Amino acid sequence: MNPLLTSRALNRATLDRQLLLSRAELPVTDVVERVGGLQAQTPHTWYTGLWNRIEGFRAAEASALLESRALVRLALQRSTIHLVTARDCLAMRPLLQVVTERMTRSTFVRKLGDVDLAELAAYGRELVEAEPMTFAALGRALAERWPGEDPHALSQVVRWLVPLVQVPPRGLWGRSGPIAHTSAESWLGFEAPAMTPAELVTRYLRAFGPATVMDAQTWSGLTRLGEVVESMDLVRFRDEQGRTLYDLPDAERPSPEVPAPVRLMYDFDNLFLSHADRSRVITEAGFAALGGFMGTNVMPRVILVDGVTAGDWTVTRAGKVSTLGVHQWTPIKDLDAVAEEGLRLLEFLAPGDKHEISVFDGPSKS
């Protein structure tokens, strides 16, 4: 029988691989690759994700890497916007294109008439490589070529067929801009071999393992990874429900008794989005609290205490005073540790302000 890994053991292993047990002294690009990319459909909140993981992190450094094209933001895992390195962008996108294809075919291709998709892709690429374009502008330009067709559907089919990166100033620290796109190939100016499914699973396990096949599929959006996993040289465990967990033979798995520091997570952190069973980090009270956010178009910024969900945090600003609200989902024993981390976060987010902490009972939305 495969050795048992308790939920707490899985928690500590995952936190360790996500650099949440202790901040790393590594370059930003190394960290982004190590954690499997950061979900980044919001232009700026992912900077907090890097702050949580890198000792002495400076937002300006990551912003400069985005501007210099060492980092990019584009649709990858689960067809959502991720921050990845240039190399991972080119390597992952061909393998993950099928994830965007499923949604695009069912939602948008059926809205088009006899549009030749190869011609649409070629013309769309020509347009965005001539000048980065928003989807609205791209749709209008494509509709001039295919009058009577749905402009939004045309632009979204190009999004599927052509790897599109969001270009700065969108996403730069302290700045923003239109959500304009160009092709990854023209933006980066080099080629990289596509990742194989086994290489992608390896990257997943290094970032989120030990994990089940369903966990890997949840993170990537791919299906039929079972045969890929079974073909790999992996070690096997079982969880408390008897499910088979896979891991890399050389991966470290810390003791379940290793302490986990307070962490104030950003709203779309992949820690909460990359497993089919999220109970390794979300408690029963946490699942109940998260239900209050459903349908609000708001994702909570979760507080981790002892490695699991304990509340969410908000920031309000009045004049030159920034206040971090601690919304405890259940009573937090060590509020002092949460407050200390909250003040450090405010120093990162609003360095010129006066900083205060307020504590509330219950989620920020219910």
Side-chain angles (χ1 to χ4, degrees):
M1 183 176 291
N2 297 327
L4 172 68
L5 288 179
T6 64
S7 293
R8 188 176 175 89
L10 289 174
N11 173 273
R12 292 308 194 256
T14 306
L15 293 178
D16 182 53
R17 294 181 201 189
Q18 283 291 299
L19 303 177
L20 293 168
L21 289 183
S22 62
R23 289 179 168 91
E25 296 183 4
L26 293 171
V28 171
T29 51
D30 288 3
V31 167
V32 171
E33 289 195 353
R34 175 165 170 169
V35 301
L38 281 81
Q39 190 157 332
Q41 65 260 53
T42 55
H44 300 122
T45 61
W46 53 268
Y47 284 92
T48 299
L50 291 175
W51 177 83
N52 273 323
R53 291 167 165 90
I54 300 175
E55 186 67 39
F57 173 69
R58 296 184 301 113
E61 181 182 351
S63 187
L65 291 169
L66 195 62
E67 197 163 23
S68 71
R69 311 184 189 191
L71 296 174
V72 293
R73 294 169 61 243
L74 80 161
L76 281 176
Q77 296 97 312
R78 306 180 297 280
S79 196
T80 54
I81 300 297
H82 274 67
L83 176 83
V84 293
T85 62
R87 178 176 57 189
D88 275 358
C89 163
L90 297 173
M92 288 183 174
R93 181 54 168 76
L95 182 58
L96 295 174
Q97 179 162 314
V98 67
V99 181
T100 303
E101 178 182 1
R102 288 199 301 266
M103 178 195 71
T104 306
R105 282 194 177 279
S106 63
T107 306
F108 297 111
V109 172
R110 63 182 182 82
K111 294 183 178 180
L112 303 180
D114 297 325
V115 175
D116 183 284
L117 297 187
E119 183 182 353
L120 174 59
Y123 187 56
R125 178 184 290 275
E126 179 183 329
L127 288 171
V128 298
E129 290 183 352
E131 178 183 10
M133 305 178 76
T134 65
F135 284 132
L138 176 61
R140 290 192 296 269
L142 293 168
E144 292 179 5
R145 177 78 165 260
W146 286 278
E149 300 292 352
D150 184 325
H152 184 56
L154 290 168
S155 70
Q156 292 304 297
V157 172
V158 171
R159 177 182 181 264
W160 153 41
L161 295 170
V162 181
L164 297 179
V165 299
Q166 291 189 13
V167 301
R170 186 74 176 178
L172 297 183
W173 184 251
R175 299 170 58 189
S176 194
I179 310 174
H181 304 81
T182 191
S183 74
E185 296 90 345
S186 66
W187 184 250
L188 298 176
F190 71 96
E191 297 181 355
M195 242 180 228
T196 66
E199 288 171 334
L200 189 72
V201 169
T202 297
R203 292 291 297 277
Y204 171 72
L205 292 175
R206 287 212 183 279
F208 295 101
T212 67
V213 172
M214 285 299 298
D215 291 331
Q217 293 183 164
T218 296
W219 171 75
S220 65
L222 295 173
T223 58
R224 300 181 179 178
L225 289 181
E227 58 192 54
V228 175
V229 168
E230 288 297 332
S231 72
M232 298 171 63
D233 180 21
L234 300 173
V235 293
R236 290 165 172 78
F237 301 92
R238 59 187 169 89
D239 65 11
E240 292 174 344
Q241 288 72 45
R243 293 171 294 210
T244 301
L245 301 162
Y246 299 87
D247 205 5
L248 303 172
D250 62 347
E252 293 186 11
R253 289 172 288 277
S255 164
E257 304 312 312
V258 169
V262 169
R263 289 290 182 258
L264 306 182
M265 309 296 286
Y266 78 102
D267 44 3
F268 288 98
D269 201 294
N270 268 334
L271 179 71
F272 307 107
L273 301 169
S274 301
H275 298 91
D277 180 358
R278 299 181 294 162
S279 63
R280 68 179 68 192
V281 289
I282 303 177
T283 64
E284 290 186 11
F287 281 115
L290 288 169
F293 293 87
M294 297 296 291
T296 66
N297 203 31
V298 172
M299 285 287 288
R301 302 174 182 187
V302 172
I303 301 170
L304 294 181
V305 176
D306 193 27
V308 296
T309 54
D312 67 280
W313 60 274
T314 56
V315 174
T316 56
R317 192 167 190 253
K320 293 290 290 181
V321 178
S322 288
T323 301
L324 188 138
V326 174
H327 303 265
Q328 48 183 351
W329 297 348
T330 56
I332 297 174
K333 292 182 180 179
D334 195 354
L335 278 173
D336 287 344
V338 176
E340 289 172 7
E341 185 72 355
L343 290 173
R344 286 191 287 267
L345 178 57
L346 286 175
E347 185 60 37
F348 169 70
L349 295 174
D353 284 5
K354 179 183 176 182
H355 302 143
E356 296 182 352
I357 304 290
S358 294
V359 178
F360 304 93
D361 292 330
S364 59
K365 289 188 179 294
S366 58

